[in-house]
């Protein structure tokens, strides 16, 4: 059959628009699935050179095809979210055939009425709203039965409108005439036993025989087998091209009675039923409910009002109905009789009083609780009990089989089979866009379960599963079971909601630590002192420490500012962009891995992962309603994705000629635009171009979308009016390069608008310029990025030295330090409420930082120095502090007055280490300039110890005696040198290692010292003969730390692979354990039974057994050194963010 004239004319009329905007490859996938396009035809179209040519070829082919092709094309546009294009085709969708019936717009002709009436098809409900997309999908599948018998299954949960949809799909003239001229026959089934089923089939056979010859009277079949044969004869011989509609099928045994090689449309809650029968099979899922507009339309029809005249409770009622046609209809019917009860029925819905919401109707169940209960009752008893466990699910939460396997204590394969059964029966939904699959309940199903099982639910289940859900991507079953059995958990599961919320928040914020299997009690000891989580952890720690277990309390945690709430490692390779959704619930990130990923902003749980582009993805941005997300890439393409469905809906591949650096949507939905900028020196906003002389790095809409700012490598910021037309004009150019002296290149990297939209800030060189007012940062580092807070005067600035700072624009003062990254920070963004800062970096991490921390007491602070301080030391005798700086200067200050006592200049490069000797009269310093200096700092006299060829990062005296003058120094040149401090004479020169020496330690009896090196070895040396006594091999990476035990019998060494080895002085291994990350420092306890190690975190070990006893996880990374009290009870260290940790062992 040829394409009707109406659809043909429509395609010709709008073909230019279709060729311009659609991506044919995605459209053709759907059309092949519908059977209206062959693979060969698709391949032929794909050979065309450009996307536009492919679109033109597809449209040309469609003009030679039939009405089914037009319908399939229309539905494909709907599925790919080309709603604007689909609307152009909607008016000319093929309705009837032949054209004599064009006067019946919905195809419901007198002929159709007669056929459906004779077949027993139910009439439309008194109140009916159309669902065109679902309807077209069902009719597409029915057209597949035109040439051969088969099954079309409409499946979905209770009350989703399956029966109405099936009847409406048959109410179409051209479908009946072309596919089912033998008629359409309806049979309502439900939950039947065999005698009742036999009666149903007898009734159908009698009706079919009466239509053939009213005078003919056959004996009714006496058995199901006889009934099946009678029905087969009638359907194949007398009604060969008819459609049998079986409504509400529950059981496979019932369905097998109709397996007679005819054309069948069935409705069911169990999609797997058709697996038991033979023939071609097609299915349509009724997954989504009515949208708000359709729900309001039903209420308006029932109450005989206009939609705009409905009371304010109407929208809330539709929202509480969760899109269920059954519930909306039940409420509408009740309101028709009691129009003054809007508020009452809304309250019943909110309180989940489903039993009170009932109204007789044509539906088999007149209340939702009956419909839901019927679905669950058909489950095996043991599965019914498992299904009740879904009561503890949170709304909008999806879980994998792994979580339920732990909860139910069943093998994951068995759990997957059970979940598949639930999904097949429409009791559960499955998200197949993720691997592994995720499972979830419809809101109404969850409400029903909660109401039915309210008295059986233990709070324990609620907390357990909430924990399981957030921990999905962070830990393994071992740790989950450990947590469930922990006494801390056993306390919290029976507390009130506020206390449970504290515990859940604690778990959420520490989700990124779970891969390490931490001790939950130790983890909770880092919580604030006022937290109930901390109080309970402290009690548990005291009880367990009395039995010998180690716990450590963080004493100064209340003084910590700017803690990262969340650290995510989402990608392999650098991250170039990360952004909050506008509701603050999600974080999207992209980078060198070419992928786009999305996470929960509270826990870091991964929500979505897409291989987005063929090259590095440079930027991502949410639309103002968070329904869309745009990405741009070095592959010169811009893509727009549907967030909920994780599907691409637009590709712009011809708008730019070089890599696209940045993309941003408008801030409001009033007129949705997407701006992009590129190395081709253009900004693109709805095909309007603006020129810079060099690559455009960044573009940004003002808060009200009235203005667009762009910045470029040409040293300018352009401010452009965003007119409500298809063109725009440059309003102002700010020459930022004119603000700098000299002829050096000035690259303007980014711009941002203040919250009031009155000022614009841009980053260039080492400053941020706020509309010609400079924020001077007192840093030599270059500014990489800046971002204004949407709710305050704060400005976040990222530097080339990896730091991140917050500045107040009004006072031009630094307010906080949010550092923590280990490489360049590429992008910053505040959360919508301004309380959190998102940053992403080349260190492959995304950090979420809170910036309203509290300050602790300060005993002494020096004035700000012109150069960074690299080392300090304290003289208790003289109450003085010395520090060395990056520029080689050494200063000595009085404590606590801060008075400058001496400024010592001599080193030409960074000072790495300093130490007072001789009761504070002499100061030793070592430097990157390869020298050691001995200062009589009060007089300024200095001896220079020269001989090393590379930097000297540290040194050590051979004795702690005040009169000791023998000094050991080691260097990256691989040598150890022995000096007499008083004379400055070099006593010994030892060529110790082939690589840089990284650490050295002298034994307590001063008879030996050990060195470690980048050559992967450690060596033990005699302090009198200076000979190498032992060479300790076995490390696979640089050996970075070493320490003698207090009795001198053991030596501990740690390497960059995280391996710790403990050896006797004779070289025999005593322990071989993994710390994780670089091992930067080691210390034995006084009795030599315990060892503490530092690196990415702090670990305490049992020396004899080689077992880790406890681990403390800092907020930052890269702990360098740890200071230990003589009794091994107090530990002090600093992380790379600058947070100080004072840890005290918990003792009863």
């Amino acid at each position: 059959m040829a394409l009707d004239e109406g659809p043909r004319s429509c395609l010709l009329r709008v073909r230019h628009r279709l060729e311009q905007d659609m991506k044919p490859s995605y459209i053709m996938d759907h059309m092949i699935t519908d059977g209206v396009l062959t693979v060969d035809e698709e391949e032929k179209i794909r050979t065309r050179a450009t996307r536009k040519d492919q679109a033109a070829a597809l449209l040309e082919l469609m003009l030679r095809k039939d009405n089914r092709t037009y319908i399939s094309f229309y539905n494909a546009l709907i599925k790919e979210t080309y709603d604007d294009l689909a609307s152009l085709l909607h008016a000319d969708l093929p309705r009837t055939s032949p054209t004599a019936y064009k006067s019946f717009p919905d195809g419901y002709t007198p002929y159709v009425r007669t056929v459906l009436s004779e077949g027993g098809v139910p009439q439309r409900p008194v109140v009916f709203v159309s669902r065109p997309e679902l309807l077209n999908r069902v009719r597409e599948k029915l057209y597949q039965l035109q040439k051969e018998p088969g099954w079309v299954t409409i499946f979905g949960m209770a009350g989703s409108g399956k029966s109405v949809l099936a009847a409406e799909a048959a109410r179409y003239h051209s479908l009946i005439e072309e596919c089912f001229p033998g008629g359409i026959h309806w049979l309502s089934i439900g939950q039947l036993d065999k005698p009742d089923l036999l009666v149903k089939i007898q009734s159908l056979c009698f009706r079919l025989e009466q239509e053939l010859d009213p005078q003919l009277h056959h004996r009714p079949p006496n058995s199901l087998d006889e009934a099946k044969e009678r029905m087969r004869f009638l359907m194949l011989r007398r009604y060969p091209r008819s459609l049998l509609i079986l409504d509400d099928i529950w059981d496979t045994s019932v369905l097998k009675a109709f397996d007679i090689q005819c054309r069948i449309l069935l409705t069911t809650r169990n999609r797997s039923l058709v697996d038991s029968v033979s023939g071609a099979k097609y299915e349509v899922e009724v997954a989504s409910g009515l949208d708000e507009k359709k729900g309001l339309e039903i209420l308006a029809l029932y109450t005989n009002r206009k939609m705009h005249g409905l009371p304010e409770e109407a929208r809330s009622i539709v929202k509480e109905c969760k899109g269920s046609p059954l519930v909306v209809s039940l409420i509408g019917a009740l309101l028709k009789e009691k129009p003054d009860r809007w508020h009452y029925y809304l309250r019943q819905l909110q309180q989940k009083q489903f039993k009170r919401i009932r109204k007789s109707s044509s539906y088999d169940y007149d209340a939702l609780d009956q419909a839901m209960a019927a679905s669950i009752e058909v489950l095996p008893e043991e599965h019914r009990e498992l299904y009740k466990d879904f009561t503890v699910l949170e709304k909008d939460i999806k879980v994998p089989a792994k979580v339920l396997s732990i909860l139910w204590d069943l093998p994951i394969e068995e759990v997957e089979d059970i979940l598949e059964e639930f999904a097949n029966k429409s009791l559960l939904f499955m998200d197949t866009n993720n691997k592994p699959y995720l499972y979830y309940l419809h809101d109404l199903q969850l409400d029903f379960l909660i109401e039915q099982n309210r008295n059986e639910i233990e709070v324990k289940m609620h907390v357990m599963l909430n924990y399981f859900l957030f921990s999905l991507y962070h830990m393994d079953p071992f740790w989950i079971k450990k947590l469930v059995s922990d006494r801390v958990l056993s306390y919290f599961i029976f507390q009130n909601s506020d206390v449970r919320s504290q515990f859940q928040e604690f778990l959420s914020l520490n989700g990124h630590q779970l891969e390490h299997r931490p001790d939950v009690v130790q983890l909770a000891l880092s919580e604030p002192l006022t937290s109930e989580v901390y109080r309970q952890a402290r009690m548990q720690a005291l009880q367990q420490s009395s039995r010998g277990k180690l716990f450590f309390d963080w004493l100064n945690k209340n003084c910590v500012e700017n803690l990262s709430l969340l650290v995510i490692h989402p990608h392999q390779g650098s991250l170039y962009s990360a952004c909050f959704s506008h509701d603050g619930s999600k974080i999207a990130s992209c980078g060198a891995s070419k992928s786009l990923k999305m996470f929960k902003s509270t826990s870091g749980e991964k929500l979505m992962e897409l291989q987005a582009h063929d090259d590095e993805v440079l930027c991502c941005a949410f639309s103002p309603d968070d329904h869309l997300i745009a990405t741009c890439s070095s592959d010169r393409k811009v893509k727009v994705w549907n967030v909920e469905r994780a599907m691409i809906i637009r590709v712009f591949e011809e708008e730019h000629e070089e890599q696209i650096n940045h993309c941003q949507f408008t801030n409001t939905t009033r007129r949705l635009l997407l701006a992009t900028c590129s190395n081709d020196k253009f900004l693109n906003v709805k095909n309007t171009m603006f020129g810079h002389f060099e690559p455009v790095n960044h573009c940004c809409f003002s808060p009200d979308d009235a203005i667009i700012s762009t910045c470029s490598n040409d040293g300018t910021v352009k401010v452009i009016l965003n007119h409500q037309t298809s063109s725009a004009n440059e309003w102002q150019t700010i020459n930022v390069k004119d603000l700098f002296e000299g002829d050096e290149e000035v690259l303007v990297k980014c711009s941002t608008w203040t919250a009031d939209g009155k000022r614009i800030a841009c980053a260039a060189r080492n400053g941020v310029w706020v509309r010609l007012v400079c924020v001077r940062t007192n840093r030599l580092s270059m500014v990489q990025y800046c971002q204004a807070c949407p709710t305050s005067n704060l400005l976040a600035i990222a530097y080339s030295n990896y730091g991140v700072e917050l500045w107040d624009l009004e006072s031009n003062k630094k307010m906080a330090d949010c550092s923590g990254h280990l490489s360049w920070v590429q992008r910053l963004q505040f959360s919508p409420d301004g309380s959190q800062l998102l940053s992403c970096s080349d260190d492959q991490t995304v950090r979420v930082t809170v910036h309203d921390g509290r300050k602790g007491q300060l005993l002494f602070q020096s004035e700000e120095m012109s150069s960074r301080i690299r080392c300090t030391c304290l003289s208790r005798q003289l109450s003085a502090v010395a520090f060395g700086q990056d520029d080689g200067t050494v200063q000595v200050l009085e404590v606590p007055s801060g008075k400058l006592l001496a400024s010592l200049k001599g080193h030409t490069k960074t000072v790495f280490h300093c130490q007072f000797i001789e009761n504070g009269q002499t100061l030793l310093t070592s430097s990157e300039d390869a020298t050691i200096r001995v200062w009589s700092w009060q007089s300024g006299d200095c001896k220079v110890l020269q001989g090393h060829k590379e930097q000297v990062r540290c040194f050590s005296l051979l004795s702690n005696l005040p009169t000791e003058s023998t000094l050991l120094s080691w260097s990256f040149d691989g040598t150890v040198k022995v000096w007499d401090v008083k004379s400055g004479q070099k006593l010994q020169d030892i060529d110790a290692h082939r690589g840089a020496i990284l650490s050295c330690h002298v034994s307590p009896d001063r008879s030996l010292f050990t060195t470690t090196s980048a050559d992967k070895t450690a060596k033990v040396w005699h302090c009198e003969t200076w000979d190498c006594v032992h060479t300790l091999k076995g490390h696979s990476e640089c050996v970075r730390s070493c320490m003698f035990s207090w009795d001198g019998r053991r030596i501990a060494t740690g390497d960059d692979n995280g391996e710790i080895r403990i050896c006797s002085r004779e070289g025999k291994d005593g322990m071989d354990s993994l710390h994780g990350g670089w091992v930067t420092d080691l210390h034995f306890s006084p009795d030599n039974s315990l060892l503490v190690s530092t690196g990415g975190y702090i670990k305490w070990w049992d020396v004899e057994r080689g077992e880790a006893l406890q681990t403390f996880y800092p907020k930052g990374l890269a702990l360098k050194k740890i200071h230990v009290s003589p009794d091994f009870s107090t530990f002090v260290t600093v992380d790379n963010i600058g947070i100080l940790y004072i840890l005290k062992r918990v003792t009863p």
Side-chain angles (χ1 to χ4, degrees), residues 583-595:
D583 63 7
S585 65
K586 304 179 188 70
I587 295 171
S589 65
C590 59
S593 64
K594 309 176 186 178
S595 62

Short mmCIF file of all heavy atoms in Angstrom, two decimals, residues 583-595:
data_model
loop_
_atom_site.label_atom_id
_atom_site.label_comp_id
_atom_site.label_asym_id
_atom_site.label_seq_id
_atom_site.Cartn_x
_atom_site.Cartn_y
_atom_site.Cartn_z
N ASP A 583 19.56 21.44 40.70
CA ASP A 583 18.95 21.12 41.99
C ASP A 583 19.97 20.64 43.01
O ASP A 583 19.64 20.32 44.15
CB ASP A 583 17.84 20.07 41.83
CG ASP A 583 18.37 18.73 41.32
OD1 ASP A 583 19.59 18.55 41.21
OD2 ASP A 583 17.53 17.84 41.04
N GLY A 584 21.24 20.59 42.62
CA GLY A 584 22.31 20.24 43.52
C GLY A 584 22.43 18.77 43.85
O GLY A 584 23.30 18.38 44.63
N SER A 585 21.63 17.90 43.26
CA SER A 585 21.61 16.49 43.64
C SER A 585 22.61 15.65 42.86
O SER A 585 22.94 14.54 43.27
CB SER A 585 20.21 15.91 43.44
OG SER A 585 19.87 15.91 42.05
N LYS A 586 23.09 16.15 41.74
CA LYS A 586 23.96 15.35 40.87
C LYS A 586 25.24 16.13 40.55
O LYS A 586 25.26 17.36 40.57
CB LYS A 586 23.27 14.97 39.57
CG LYS A 586 21.97 14.22 39.72
CD LYS A 586 21.37 13.91 38.35
CE LYS A 586 19.96 13.34 38.45
NZ LYS A 586 19.00 14.37 38.89
N ILE A 587 26.28 15.38 40.22
CA ILE A 587 27.53 15.92 39.69
C ILE A 587 27.83 15.20 38.40
O ILE A 587 27.78 13.96 38.34
CB ILE A 587 28.69 15.72 40.68
CG1 ILE A 587 28.47 16.51 41.97
CG2 ILE A 587 30.02 16.11 40.04
CD1 ILE A 587 29.46 16.17 43.05
N ALA A 588 28.13 15.95 37.35
CA ALA A 588 28.57 15.36 36.09
C ALA A 588 30.05 15.69 35.90
O ALA A 588 30.51 16.77 36.30
CB ALA A 588 27.76 15.90 34.92
N SER A 589 30.80 14.78 35.29
CA SER A 589 32.22 15.02 35.05
C SER A 589 32.62 14.43 33.71
O SER A 589 32.00 13.49 33.21
CB SER A 589 33.07 14.41 36.17
OG SER A 589 32.94 13.00 36.17
N CYS A 590 33.67 14.99 33.13
CA CYS A 590 34.17 14.51 31.84
C CYS A 590 35.65 14.85 31.75
O CYS A 590 36.16 15.68 32.49
CB CYS A 590 33.39 15.12 30.68
SG CYS A 590 33.45 16.93 30.64
N GLY A 591 36.34 14.21 30.79
CA GLY A 591 37.77 14.47 30.68
C GLY A 591 38.43 13.68 29.58
O GLY A 591 37.82 13.36 28.55
N ALA A 592 39.70 13.34 29.82
CA ALA A 592 40.53 12.70 28.80
C ALA A 592 40.05 11.30 28.46
O ALA A 592 40.43 10.75 27.42
CB ALA A 592 41.98 12.67 29.27
N SER A 593 39.24 10.68 29.33
CA SER A 593 38.76 9.32 29.07
C SER A 593 37.68 9.27 27.99
O SER A 593 37.20 8.19 27.68
CB SER A 593 38.21 8.72 30.36
OG SER A 593 37.07 9.44 30.81
N LYS A 594 37.26 10.44 27.47
CA LYS A 594 36.25 10.54 26.41
C LYS A 594 34.84 10.19 26.90
O LYS A 594 33.92 10.05 26.10
CB LYS A 594 36.60 9.65 25.22
CG LYS A 594 38.01 9.82 24.68
CD LYS A 594 38.31 8.83 23.56
CE LYS A 594 39.77 8.91 23.13
NZ LYS A 594 40.10 7.93 22.09
N SER A 595 34.68 10.06 28.20
CA SER A 595 33.38 9.63 28.74
C SER A 595 32.73 10.74 29.54
O SER A 595 33.38 11.70 29.96
CB SER A 595 33.56 8.38 29.61
OG SER A 595 34.39 8.68 30.72
#
